[in-house]
Short mmCIF file of all heavy atoms in Angstrom, two decimals:
data_model
loop_
_atom_site.label_atom_id
_atom_site.label_comp_id
_atom_site.label_asym_id
_atom_site.label_seq_id
_atom_site.Cartn_x
_atom_site.Cartn_y
_atom_site.Cartn_z
N GLU A 49 -2.56 -13.50 -6.88
CA GLU A 49 -1.21 -13.45 -7.44
C GLU A 49 -1.26 -13.62 -8.96
O GLU A 49 -0.58 -12.89 -9.71
CB GLU A 49 -0.33 -14.52 -6.81
CG GLU A 49 1.12 -14.48 -7.27
CD GLU A 49 1.96 -15.55 -6.59
OE1 GLU A 49 1.65 -16.74 -6.77
OE2 GLU A 49 2.91 -15.18 -5.89
N GLU A 50 -2.06 -14.56 -9.44
CA GLU A 50 -2.19 -14.80 -10.88
C GLU A 50 -2.72 -13.56 -11.60
O GLU A 50 -2.33 -13.26 -12.74
CB GLU A 50 -3.13 -15.98 -11.14
CG GLU A 50 -2.60 -17.33 -10.73
CD GLU A 50 -3.67 -18.41 -10.75
OE1 GLU A 50 -4.82 -18.08 -11.00
OE2 GLU A 50 -3.38 -19.55 -10.50
N LEU A 51 -3.61 -12.84 -10.95
CA LEU A 51 -4.26 -11.69 -11.56
C LEU A 51 -3.37 -10.45 -11.55
O LEU A 51 -3.70 -9.45 -12.20
CB LEU A 51 -5.57 -11.38 -10.83
CG LEU A 51 -6.69 -12.40 -11.02
CD1 LEU A 51 -7.81 -12.16 -10.01
CD2 LEU A 51 -7.24 -12.34 -12.45
N GLY A 52 -2.27 -10.48 -10.81
CA GLY A 52 -1.35 -9.36 -10.81
C GLY A 52 -1.29 -8.54 -9.55
O GLY A 52 -0.61 -7.49 -9.52
N PHE A 53 -1.96 -8.96 -8.48
CA PHE A 53 -1.79 -8.27 -7.20
C PHE A 53 -0.36 -8.49 -6.72
O PHE A 53 0.17 -9.60 -6.77
CB PHE A 53 -2.79 -8.80 -6.17
CG PHE A 53 -4.20 -8.32 -6.37
CD1 PHE A 53 -5.05 -8.94 -7.29
CD2 PHE A 53 -4.68 -7.24 -5.65
CE1 PHE A 53 -6.35 -8.50 -7.48
CE2 PHE A 53 -5.98 -6.79 -5.83
CZ PHE A 53 -6.82 -7.42 -6.74
N ASP A 54 0.27 -7.43 -6.23
CA ASP A 54 1.68 -7.49 -5.87
C ASP A 54 1.93 -7.92 -4.42
O ASP A 54 3.05 -8.30 -4.09
CB ASP A 54 2.33 -6.12 -6.08
CG ASP A 54 2.36 -5.75 -7.55
OD1 ASP A 54 3.18 -6.32 -8.28
OD2 ASP A 54 1.54 -4.90 -7.97
N GLY A 55 0.92 -7.84 -3.57
CA GLY A 55 1.10 -8.20 -2.17
C GLY A 55 -0.10 -8.92 -1.60
O GLY A 55 -1.23 -8.77 -2.09
N LEU A 56 0.14 -9.70 -0.55
CA LEU A 56 -0.90 -10.38 0.22
C LEU A 56 -0.63 -10.05 1.68
O LEU A 56 0.44 -10.36 2.20
CB LEU A 56 -0.84 -11.89 -0.02
CG LEU A 56 -1.08 -12.35 -1.46
CD1 LEU A 56 -0.63 -13.80 -1.65
CD2 LEU A 56 -2.56 -12.19 -1.84
N TRP A 57 -1.60 -9.42 2.33
CA TRP A 57 -1.38 -8.82 3.64
C TRP A 57 -2.21 -9.49 4.72
O TRP A 57 -3.43 -9.63 4.59
CB TRP A 57 -1.70 -7.33 3.60
CG TRP A 57 -0.78 -6.55 2.73
CD1 TRP A 57 -0.84 -6.39 1.37
CD2 TRP A 57 0.37 -5.79 3.16
NE1 TRP A 57 0.18 -5.59 0.94
CE2 TRP A 57 0.94 -5.21 2.01
CE3 TRP A 57 0.95 -5.57 4.42
CZ2 TRP A 57 2.08 -4.41 2.08
CZ3 TRP A 57 2.07 -4.76 4.49
CH2 TRP A 57 2.64 -4.20 3.32
N ALA A 58 -1.55 -9.89 5.81
CA ALA A 58 -2.21 -10.54 6.95
C ALA A 58 -2.16 -9.63 8.16
O ALA A 58 -1.11 -9.04 8.47
CB ALA A 58 -1.54 -11.87 7.26
N ARG A 59 -3.25 -9.55 8.87
CA ARG A 59 -3.31 -8.71 10.06
C ARG A 59 -2.88 -9.50 11.30
O ARG A 59 -2.91 -10.72 11.30
CB ARG A 59 -4.72 -8.16 10.23
CG ARG A 59 -5.11 -7.21 9.11
CD ARG A 59 -6.59 -6.91 9.14
NE ARG A 59 -6.95 -6.24 10.38
CZ ARG A 59 -8.20 -6.12 10.82
NH1 ARG A 59 -9.20 -6.68 10.15
NH2 ARG A 59 -8.46 -5.49 11.95
N ASP A 60 -2.48 -8.76 12.33
CA ASP A 60 -2.09 -9.36 13.60
C ASP A 60 -3.11 -8.95 14.64
O ASP A 60 -3.12 -7.80 15.10
CB ASP A 60 -0.69 -8.88 14.00
CG ASP A 60 -0.23 -9.50 15.33
OD1 ASP A 60 -0.68 -10.62 15.64
OD2 ASP A 60 0.58 -8.87 16.02
N VAL A 61 -4.02 -9.86 14.99
CA VAL A 61 -5.06 -9.58 15.99
C VAL A 61 -4.96 -10.67 17.06
O VAL A 61 -5.55 -11.75 16.92
CB VAL A 61 -6.46 -9.56 15.34
CG1 VAL A 61 -7.52 -9.24 16.38
CG2 VAL A 61 -6.51 -8.55 14.19
N PRO A 62 -4.18 -10.43 18.12
CA PRO A 62 -3.94 -11.49 19.11
C PRO A 62 -5.21 -12.03 19.77
O PRO A 62 -5.32 -13.23 20.02
CB PRO A 62 -3.04 -10.80 20.14
CG PRO A 62 -2.35 -9.71 19.37
CD PRO A 62 -3.38 -9.23 18.40
N THR A 63 -6.19 -11.14 20.06
CA THR A 63 -7.42 -11.59 20.71
C THR A 63 -8.63 -10.96 20.01
O THR A 63 -8.53 -9.87 19.44
CB THR A 63 -7.46 -11.19 22.20
OG1 THR A 63 -7.42 -9.76 22.31
CG2 THR A 63 -6.28 -11.78 22.95
N TYR A 64 -9.75 -11.65 20.09
CA TYR A 64 -10.98 -11.15 19.49
C TYR A 64 -11.74 -10.32 20.51
O TYR A 64 -12.14 -10.83 21.57
CB TYR A 64 -11.84 -12.31 19.00
CG TYR A 64 -13.20 -11.90 18.47
CD1 TYR A 64 -13.34 -10.81 17.62
CD2 TYR A 64 -14.33 -12.62 18.82
CE1 TYR A 64 -14.58 -10.44 17.13
CE2 TYR A 64 -15.59 -12.25 18.33
CZ TYR A 64 -15.70 -11.16 17.49
OH TYR A 64 -16.94 -10.80 17.02
N TRP A 65 -11.96 -9.06 20.22
CA TRP A 65 -12.72 -8.15 21.07
C TRP A 65 -13.97 -7.74 20.28
O TRP A 65 -13.90 -6.92 19.38
CB TRP A 65 -11.87 -6.92 21.39
CG TRP A 65 -12.50 -5.93 22.34
CD1 TRP A 65 -13.45 -6.19 23.27
CD2 TRP A 65 -12.22 -4.53 22.43
NE1 TRP A 65 -13.78 -5.05 23.97
CE2 TRP A 65 -13.04 -4.01 23.46
CE3 TRP A 65 -11.36 -3.68 21.74
CZ2 TRP A 65 -13.01 -2.66 23.82
CZ3 TRP A 65 -11.34 -2.34 22.10
CH2 TRP A 65 -12.15 -1.83 23.13
N PRO A 66 -15.14 -8.35 20.59
CA PRO A 66 -16.34 -8.09 19.80
C PRO A 66 -16.67 -6.61 19.66
O PRO A 66 -17.16 -6.18 18.61
CB PRO A 66 -17.43 -8.84 20.57
CG PRO A 66 -16.70 -9.96 21.24
CD PRO A 66 -15.37 -9.36 21.63
N LYS A 67 -16.39 -5.81 20.68
CA LYS A 67 -16.70 -4.38 20.61
C LYS A 67 -15.93 -3.71 19.48
O LYS A 67 -16.42 -2.76 18.86
CB LYS A 67 -16.37 -3.71 21.95
CG LYS A 67 -16.70 -2.23 22.00
CD LYS A 67 -16.39 -1.64 23.37
CE LYS A 67 -16.70 -0.14 23.40
NZ LYS A 67 -16.39 0.44 24.74
N PHE A 68 -14.71 -4.20 19.20
CA PHE A 68 -13.91 -3.61 18.13
C PHE A 68 -14.44 -4.01 16.76
O PHE A 68 -14.32 -3.27 15.79
CB PHE A 68 -12.44 -4.04 18.27
CG PHE A 68 -11.48 -3.17 17.52
CD1 PHE A 68 -10.92 -2.06 18.13
CD2 PHE A 68 -11.13 -3.47 16.22
CE1 PHE A 68 -10.02 -1.25 17.45
CE2 PHE A 68 -10.23 -2.66 15.53
CZ PHE A 68 -9.69 -1.55 16.15
N GLY A 69 -15.00 -5.23 16.66
CA GLY A 69 -15.74 -5.57 15.45
C GLY A 69 -15.19 -6.69 14.59
O GLY A 69 -15.90 -7.20 13.74
N ASP A 70 -13.91 -7.09 14.77
CA ASP A 70 -13.43 -8.17 13.91
C ASP A 70 -12.23 -8.85 14.53
O ASP A 70 -11.62 -8.34 15.46
CB ASP A 70 -13.10 -7.67 12.51
CG ASP A 70 -11.85 -6.82 12.46
OD1 ASP A 70 -10.76 -7.40 12.38
OD2 ASP A 70 -11.96 -5.58 12.50
N ALA A 71 -11.89 -10.02 13.98
CA ALA A 71 -10.76 -10.82 14.47
C ALA A 71 -9.67 -10.96 13.42
O ALA A 71 -8.90 -11.90 13.44
CB ALA A 71 -11.26 -12.20 14.90
N GLY A 72 -9.61 -10.00 12.47
CA GLY A 72 -8.63 -10.11 11.40
C GLY A 72 -8.89 -11.35 10.57
O GLY A 72 -10.03 -11.70 10.28
N GLN A 73 -7.80 -12.02 10.20
CA GLN A 73 -7.99 -13.28 9.47
C GLN A 73 -8.02 -14.47 10.42
O GLN A 73 -7.94 -15.61 9.98
CB GLN A 73 -6.92 -13.46 8.38
CG GLN A 73 -5.58 -13.97 8.83
CD GLN A 73 -4.69 -12.89 9.44
OE1 GLN A 73 -4.92 -11.71 9.22
NE2 GLN A 73 -3.70 -13.30 10.19
N THR A 74 -8.13 -14.21 11.73
CA THR A 74 -8.29 -15.20 12.80
C THR A 74 -7.00 -15.96 13.10
O THR A 74 -6.57 -16.04 14.25
CB THR A 74 -9.42 -16.21 12.50
OG1 THR A 74 -10.65 -15.50 12.38
CG2 THR A 74 -9.55 -17.23 13.61
N PHE A 75 -6.36 -16.51 12.09
CA PHE A 75 -5.17 -17.33 12.31
C PHE A 75 -3.97 -16.47 12.69
O PHE A 75 -3.83 -15.34 12.21
CB PHE A 75 -4.85 -18.15 11.05
CG PHE A 75 -5.96 -19.02 10.59
CD1 PHE A 75 -6.66 -18.74 9.43
CD2 PHE A 75 -6.33 -20.14 11.33
CE1 PHE A 75 -7.71 -19.53 9.01
CE2 PHE A 75 -7.38 -20.95 10.92
CZ PHE A 75 -8.07 -20.65 9.76
N ASP A 76 -3.10 -17.02 13.53
CA ASP A 76 -1.90 -16.29 13.91
C ASP A 76 -1.09 -15.94 12.66
O ASP A 76 -0.95 -16.76 11.72
CB ASP A 76 -1.05 -17.12 14.86
CG ASP A 76 0.18 -16.37 15.32
OD1 ASP A 76 0.03 -15.48 16.18
OD2 ASP A 76 1.27 -16.65 14.80
N THR A 77 -0.52 -14.76 12.66
CA THR A 77 0.13 -14.22 11.46
C THR A 77 1.24 -15.10 10.92
O THR A 77 1.33 -15.34 9.71
CB THR A 77 0.71 -12.83 11.78
OG1 THR A 77 -0.32 -12.02 12.37
CG2 THR A 77 1.22 -12.15 10.52
N TRP A 78 2.12 -15.61 11.81
CA TRP A 78 3.31 -16.30 11.33
C TRP A 78 3.01 -17.65 10.67
O TRP A 78 3.44 -17.87 9.53
CB TRP A 78 4.31 -16.48 12.47
CG TRP A 78 4.67 -15.19 13.14
CD1 TRP A 78 4.53 -14.89 14.48
CD2 TRP A 78 5.23 -14.01 12.54
NE1 TRP A 78 4.95 -13.61 14.73
CE2 TRP A 78 5.39 -13.04 13.57
CE3 TRP A 78 5.59 -13.68 11.24
CZ2 TRP A 78 5.91 -11.78 13.32
CZ3 TRP A 78 6.10 -12.42 10.99
CH2 TRP A 78 6.26 -11.49 12.02
N PRO A 79 2.26 -18.56 11.30
CA PRO A 79 1.95 -19.80 10.58
C PRO A 79 1.07 -19.55 9.36
O PRO A 79 1.19 -20.27 8.35
CB PRO A 79 1.26 -20.68 11.63
CG PRO A 79 0.84 -19.76 12.71
CD PRO A 79 1.80 -18.63 12.71
N TRP A 80 0.20 -18.54 9.44
CA TRP A 80 -0.64 -18.27 8.29
C TRP A 80 0.19 -17.83 7.09
O TRP A 80 0.01 -18.34 5.98
CB TRP A 80 -1.70 -17.22 8.62
CG TRP A 80 -2.53 -16.86 7.42
CD1 TRP A 80 -2.59 -15.67 6.76
CD2 TRP A 80 -3.42 -17.74 6.71
NE1 TRP A 80 -3.44 -15.74 5.68
CE2 TRP A 80 -3.97 -17.00 5.64
CE3 TRP A 80 -3.80 -19.07 6.89
CZ2 TRP A 80 -4.87 -17.57 4.74
CZ3 TRP A 80 -4.70 -19.63 5.99
CH2 TRP A 80 -5.23 -18.88 4.93
N LEU A 81 1.12 -16.90 7.29
CA LEU A 81 1.95 -16.45 6.17
C LEU A 81 2.89 -17.56 5.68
O LEU A 81 3.22 -17.62 4.49
CB LEU A 81 2.73 -15.20 6.54
CG LEU A 81 1.90 -13.91 6.60
CD1 LEU A 81 2.80 -12.73 6.96
CD2 LEU A 81 1.17 -13.64 5.29
N SER A 82 3.33 -18.43 6.58
CA SER A 82 4.13 -19.58 6.15
C SER A 82 3.32 -20.47 5.23
O SER A 82 3.82 -20.97 4.21
CB SER A 82 4.61 -20.38 7.36
OG SER A 82 5.50 -19.62 8.14
N HIS A 83 2.05 -20.68 5.58
CA HIS A 83 1.16 -21.50 4.75
C HIS A 83 0.94 -20.85 3.39
O HIS A 83 1.01 -21.51 2.35
CB HIS A 83 -0.16 -21.70 5.48
CG HIS A 83 -1.09 -22.68 4.85
ND1 HIS A 83 -0.80 -24.02 4.72
CD2 HIS A 83 -2.32 -22.51 4.28
CE1 HIS A 83 -1.80 -24.64 4.12
NE2 HIS A 83 -2.74 -23.74 3.84
N VAL A 84 0.69 -19.54 3.40
CA VAL A 84 0.49 -18.82 2.15
C VAL A 84 1.76 -18.84 1.30
O VAL A 84 1.71 -18.99 0.07
CB VAL A 84 0.03 -17.38 2.43
CG1 VAL A 84 -0.03 -16.56 1.15
CG2 VAL A 84 -1.33 -17.37 3.12
N ALA A 85 2.92 -18.70 1.95
CA ALA A 85 4.19 -18.73 1.22
C ALA A 85 4.37 -20.04 0.46
O ALA A 85 4.91 -20.06 -0.65
CB ALA A 85 5.36 -18.53 2.19
N ALA A 86 3.90 -21.14 1.05
CA ALA A 86 4.05 -22.45 0.42
C ALA A 86 3.15 -22.61 -0.80
O ALA A 86 3.38 -23.52 -1.61
CB ALA A 86 3.76 -23.55 1.42
N HIS A 87 2.16 -21.74 -0.94
CA HIS A 87 1.20 -21.88 -2.04
C HIS A 87 1.28 -20.72 -3.04
O HIS A 87 0.44 -20.64 -3.95
CB HIS A 87 -0.22 -21.98 -1.48
CG HIS A 87 -0.48 -23.27 -0.75
ND1 HIS A 87 -0.17 -23.45 0.58
CD2 HIS A 87 -0.99 -24.46 -1.18
CE1 HIS A 87 -0.50 -24.69 0.94
NE2 HIS A 87 -0.99 -25.31 -0.10
N THR A 88 2.23 -19.82 -2.87
CA THR A 88 2.41 -18.71 -3.80
C THR A 88 3.88 -18.63 -4.19
O THR A 88 4.72 -19.30 -3.58
CB THR A 88 1.95 -17.38 -3.18
OG1 THR A 88 2.65 -17.17 -1.94
CG2 THR A 88 0.46 -17.39 -2.91
N ASP A 89 4.18 -17.80 -5.16
CA ASP A 89 5.54 -17.79 -5.71
C ASP A 89 6.22 -16.43 -5.69
O ASP A 89 7.42 -16.34 -5.42
CB ASP A 89 5.52 -18.28 -7.17
CG ASP A 89 5.02 -19.70 -7.29
OD1 ASP A 89 5.55 -20.57 -6.58
OD2 ASP A 89 4.09 -19.92 -8.10
N GLU A 90 5.50 -15.36 -5.97
CA GLU A 90 6.16 -14.08 -6.21
C GLU A 90 5.59 -12.92 -5.42
O GLU A 90 6.30 -11.93 -5.18
CB GLU A 90 6.10 -13.73 -7.70
CG GLU A 90 6.84 -14.73 -8.59
CD GLU A 90 6.73 -14.37 -10.06
OE1 GLU A 90 5.92 -13.45 -10.38
OE2 GLU A 90 7.43 -14.98 -10.87
N ALA A 91 4.34 -12.96 -5.03
CA ALA A 91 3.74 -11.82 -4.34
C ALA A 91 4.42 -11.56 -3.00
O ALA A 91 4.81 -12.50 -2.30
CB ALA A 91 2.25 -12.07 -4.12
N ALA A 92 4.57 -10.29 -2.67
CA ALA A 92 5.08 -9.94 -1.35
C ALA A 92 4.10 -10.41 -0.29
O ALA A 92 2.88 -10.42 -0.50
CB ALA A 92 5.27 -8.42 -1.25
N LEU A 93 4.63 -10.80 0.87
CA LEU A 93 3.80 -11.20 2.01
C LEU A 93 3.97 -10.16 3.09
O LEU A 93 5.07 -9.95 3.62
CB LEU A 93 4.25 -12.58 2.51
CG LEU A 93 4.25 -13.70 1.47
CD1 LEU A 93 4.81 -14.98 2.07
CD2 LEU A 93 2.86 -13.92 0.90
N GLY A 94 2.88 -9.47 3.40
CA GLY A 94 2.96 -8.35 4.33
C GLY A 94 2.18 -8.57 5.60
O GLY A 94 1.22 -9.34 5.64
N THR A 95 2.59 -7.89 6.67
CA THR A 95 1.83 -7.86 7.92
C THR A 95 1.26 -6.47 8.09
O THR A 95 1.96 -5.47 7.91
CB THR A 95 2.70 -8.23 9.13
OG1 THR A 95 3.73 -7.24 9.30
CG2 THR A 95 3.33 -9.60 8.95
N SER A 96 -0.02 -6.42 8.47
CA SER A 96 -0.65 -5.11 8.61
C SER A 96 -1.57 -5.06 9.84
O SER A 96 -2.77 -5.02 9.70
CB SER A 96 -1.46 -4.80 7.35
OG SER A 96 -2.41 -5.84 7.09
N SER A 97 -0.94 -5.07 11.01
CA SER A 97 0.49 -4.98 11.27
C SER A 97 0.81 -5.73 12.55
O SER A 97 -0.06 -5.89 13.41
CB SER A 97 0.93 -3.53 11.43
OG SER A 97 0.78 -2.81 10.22
N ILE A 98 2.08 -6.19 12.70
CA ILE A 98 2.49 -6.87 13.91
C ILE A 98 2.46 -5.89 15.09
O ILE A 98 3.04 -4.80 15.02
CB ILE A 98 3.92 -7.44 13.75
CG1 ILE A 98 3.92 -8.55 12.70
CG2 ILE A 98 4.47 -7.97 15.08
CD1 ILE A 98 3.05 -9.75 13.05
N VAL A 99 1.77 -6.26 16.15
CA VAL A 99 1.65 -5.38 17.32
C VAL A 99 2.89 -5.59 18.20
O VAL A 99 2.93 -6.47 19.07
CB VAL A 99 0.35 -5.67 18.10
CG1 VAL A 99 0.19 -4.64 19.22
CG2 VAL A 99 -0.85 -5.64 17.18
N LEU A 100 3.91 -4.78 17.97
CA LEU A 100 5.19 -4.98 18.65
C LEU A 100 5.07 -4.89 20.17
O LEU A 100 5.79 -5.58 20.89
CB LEU A 100 6.21 -3.94 18.17
CG LEU A 100 6.81 -4.13 16.78
CD1 LEU A 100 7.90 -3.09 16.55
CD2 LEU A 100 7.38 -5.54 16.60
N THR A 101 4.18 -4.05 20.66
CA THR A 101 4.06 -3.87 22.11
C THR A 101 3.55 -5.11 22.82
O THR A 101 3.73 -5.26 24.03
CB THR A 101 3.13 -2.69 22.42
OG1 THR A 101 1.90 -2.87 21.71
CG2 THR A 101 3.77 -1.38 22.00
N LEU A 102 2.88 -6.01 22.09
CA LEU A 102 2.30 -7.20 22.70
C LEU A 102 3.08 -8.47 22.37
O LEU A 102 2.67 -9.56 22.77
CB LEU A 102 0.85 -7.37 22.24
CG LEU A 102 -0.09 -6.19 22.51
CD1 LEU A 102 -1.50 -6.53 22.04
CD2 LEU A 102 -0.09 -5.81 23.98
N ARG A 103 4.18 -8.33 21.65
CA ARG A 103 4.98 -9.49 21.26
C ARG A 103 6.42 -9.28 21.69
O ARG A 103 6.98 -8.20 21.53
CB ARG A 103 4.91 -9.72 19.74
CG ARG A 103 3.56 -10.21 19.24
CD ARG A 103 3.62 -10.45 17.73
NE ARG A 103 2.40 -11.01 17.17
CZ ARG A 103 2.16 -12.30 17.00
NH1 ARG A 103 3.06 -13.20 17.40
NH2 ARG A 103 1.04 -12.72 16.44
N HIS A 104 7.03 -10.34 22.22
CA HIS A 104 8.43 -10.23 22.63
C HIS A 104 9.31 -10.08 21.41
O HIS A 104 9.13 -10.79 20.41
CB HIS A 104 8.83 -11.49 23.42
CG HIS A 104 10.05 -11.30 24.23
ND1 HIS A 104 11.31 -11.26 23.67
CD2 HIS A 104 10.23 -11.14 25.57
CE1 HIS A 104 12.21 -11.08 24.62
NE2 HIS A 104 11.58 -11.00 25.79
N PRO A 105 10.30 -9.19 21.43
CA PRO A 105 11.12 -8.96 20.24
C PRO A 105 11.91 -10.18 19.78
O PRO A 105 12.17 -10.33 18.57
CB PRO A 105 12.05 -7.81 20.65
CG PRO A 105 11.99 -7.77 22.13
CD PRO A 105 10.63 -8.24 22.51
N ILE A 106 12.29 -11.06 20.69
CA ILE A 106 12.98 -12.28 20.27
C ILE A 106 12.05 -13.16 19.45
O ILE A 106 12.43 -13.71 18.42
CB ILE A 106 13.55 -13.04 21.47
CG1 ILE A 106 14.67 -12.23 22.13
CG2 ILE A 106 14.07 -14.42 21.05
CD1 ILE A 106 15.23 -12.86 23.40
#
Side-chain angles (χ1 to χ4, degrees):
E49 184 179 62
E50 291 168 356
L51 291 167
F53 285 82
D54 294 285
L56 298 165
W57 294 83
R59 295 168 62 196
D60 181 28
V61 182
T63 62
Y64 175 45
W65 184 26
K67 182 178 178 180
F68 199 89
D70 71 84
Q73 81 280 341
T74 299
F75 303 110
D76 183 76
T77 308
W78 305 123
W80 176 246
L81 286 181
S82 295
H83 189 64
V84 173
H87 291 85
T88 56
D89 299 308
E90 298 179 350
L93 304 176
T95 64
S96 56
S97 294
I98 294 298
V99 186
L100 286 186
T101 52
L102 304 182
R103 289 182 176 267
H104 198 286
I106 293 176

